[in-house]
Amino acid sequence: MKSIVIEKNGFDGLKLISQEAPLPGPRQVLLRVRAVGLNYRDVEIVLGSYHTPFKFPLVPMSDCLGEVIEVGKDVTRVKKGDRAVVAFWERWHDGSFDASVAGAPLGGPSDGVLSEQFLTSEDRLVVVPPEISDIEAASLPCAASTAWNALVTSGSVKPGEVVLVQGTGGVSLFAMQFAAMAGAQVVITSGSDEKLEKLTTPGILGKVNYKRYPNWSVEVLKLTNGRGVDHVLEVGGPQSFEHSLKSIRPGGQINVIGYLGGVDGGINPLDIFRKQATVRGIPVGSRRMLQELVQAMASTKTKPMIDSVTHWTNAAQALQRLHSGKHFGKVMLSF
């Protein structure tokens, strides 16, 4: 089978190789990969800017949809011919997150899914119903699980609440859709008027261009008549956290997803105290969360927002598209 590995940092460090196809052992499943979804984490690992360095060569990417082509002994959760997505964490199946038992994520340090075939434990798989296409399904495991965890599992979002999402990346777009499913309203921030104009998800309360309004929390408070929002998906890092705190109502929730704005900056714990804020880090999601959101999207016929689909052997081109920030929706690879 063919795989792509990172041999060195940089988009030109990706190399197409041939290797022997693996055979499934007990409770293992061999997938024929049909589609792969990209996350910004993949860009950072390829470029060498991720907070944890990994040994190369490494097969990148964590999100895929595959068809079950072989099953090992004692496999009961899937059968040949099933289509399934692969959960991000090796052993976080349900309950609260415990890093000591969750195991390794895919695409670093464990080899990822950018191969024609992928061998995995059956415990990591979620079967996908026919209402969701291969490309759509492959977009879900990391970004959608993160948004589902933040708003639904941990956040318990309710009808009538207001959710603030920062930017139009994968997690933010899924959060908009899940908020709409729950009957909540959404306030969106972005530095691009063009991207804001594309957003037509039901329940949008307002849109704020943070480049035009650097003190964007003031605009968010205006949109909520001074009350503040109930939930924030914080993707900017320390530079935007101050405005997230100012944007929430007393007792509101801030879900820390990423650090696209950088890692430098200070946060005053007293500001959290004064707002009685709940602040939590979101380590993607469990297999159960992935299963729940797959069922929710199928039953509501909600479609992921897809930016582009590139053949998997042109992965470097797709990664550059994601790195450019010009994308709107998930950047995908087909096989």
Side-chain angles (χ1 to χ4, degrees):
M1 70 175 187
K2 290 184 172 65
S3 304
I4 290 178
V5 297
I6 310 170
E7 287 199 325
K8 63 179 182 179
N9 288 129
F11 297 124
D12 61 348
L14 296 174
K15 182 180 180 181
L16 183 66
I17 65 169
S18 294
Q19 56 184 328
E20 191 130 349
L23 295 174
R27 304 197 65 231
Q28 289 187 320
V29 173
L30 185 63
L31 300 176
R32 177 180 288 114
V33 178
R34 298 296 195 191
V36 164
L38 275 59
N39 298 291
Y40 201 79
R41 175 180 185 266
D42 303 318
V43 173
E44 291 190 317
I45 291 171
V46 168
L47 294 182
S49 58
Y50 193 60
H51 56 71
T52 303
F54 301 123
K55 292 182 179 180
F56 297 155
L58 173 73
V59 179
M61 317 304 183
S62 61
D63 292 4
C64 81
L65 178 287
E67 176 191 346
V68 176
I69 56 174
E70 295 289 343
V71 296
K73 183 180 178 183
D74 299 328
V75 168
T76 59
R77 298 192 67 251
V78 296
K79 64 182 183 305
K80 279 188 180 183
D82 282 345
R83 296 182 314 131
V85 287
V86 185
F88 182 74
W89 290 102
E90 184 179 9
R91 291 189 294 272
W92 185 20
H93 305 319
D94 199 358
S96 58
F97 179 75
D98 184 342
S100 67
V101 299
L106 293 170
S110 296
D111 274 337
V113 299
L114 198 55
S115 298
E116 291 177 320
Q117 297 178 28
F118 178 68
L119 182 68
T120 183
S121 165
E122 68 165 336
D123 290 332
R124 210 165 190 159
L125 297 178
V126 171
V127 174
V128 174
E131 291 87 353
I132 303 177
S133 73
D134 293 353
I135 291 291
E136 291 166 350
S139 74
L140 302 177
C142 191
S145 292
T146 300
W148 188 268
N149 186 357
L151 286 184
V152 181
T153 305
S154 297
S156 301
V157 63
K158 298 177 178 60
E161 291 187 328
V162 181
V163 176
L164 170 66
V165 296
Q166 297 174 354
T168 55
V171 175
S172 296
L173 292 179
F174 281 120
M176 292 180 214
Q177 293 179 309
F178 298 152
M181 284 185 193
Q185 293 183 298
V186 178
V187 175
I188 309 139
T189 68
S190 173
S192 167
D193 283 335
E194 182 183 357
K195 289 183 177 182
L196 288 172
E197 288 170 6
K198 291 180 180 179
L199 294 168
T200 57
T201 305
I204 293 178
L205 178 63
K207 306 173 185 179
V208 179
N209 186 319
Y210 60 76
K211 290 183 178 178
R212 185 176 299 114
Y213 300 102
N215 294 321
W216 50 263
S217 55
V218 174
E219 303 305 311
V220 173
L221 290 174
K222 288 179 183 176
L223 288 167
T224 58
N225 296 318
R227 176 182 179 272
V229 303
D230 300 276
H231 307 262
V232 176
L233 271 80
E234 169 59 61
V235 303
Q239 297 298 327
S240 59
F241 191 88
E242 175 187 356
H243 285 293
S244 292
L245 269 174
K246 290 178 179 178
S247 295
I248 60 170
R249 65 167 174 80
Q253 304 179 38
I254 300 176
N255 297 279
V256 180
I257 308 299
Y259 47 89
L260 292 176
V263 296
D264 296 327
I267 297 169
N268 187 348
L270 284 177
D271 291 335
I272 298 173
F273 169 76
R274 294 185 186 105
K275 270 296 179 82
Q276 306 164 57
T278 296
V279 180
R280 63 173 72 88
I282 301 295
V284 190
S286 66
R287 187 193 72 201
R288 181 182 180 87
M289 295 176 204
L290 178 58
Q291 186 167 354
E292 289 175 347
L293 74 90
V294 165
Q295 293 170 343
M297 296 194 77
S299 63
T300 59
K301 296 181 172 56
T302 300
K303 297 297 183 182
M305 299 183 195
I306 305 298
D307 171 78
S308 55
V309 181
T310 305
H311 192 267
W312 75 283
T313 54
N314 296 318
Q317 175 186 329
L319 285 163
Q320 288 173 301
R321 170 74 179 172
L322 183 58
H323 185 241
S324 74
K326 296 177 181 178
H327 64 290
F328 182 84
K330 293 291 291 183
V331 177
M332 307 298 299
L333 301 175
S334 62
F335 283 69

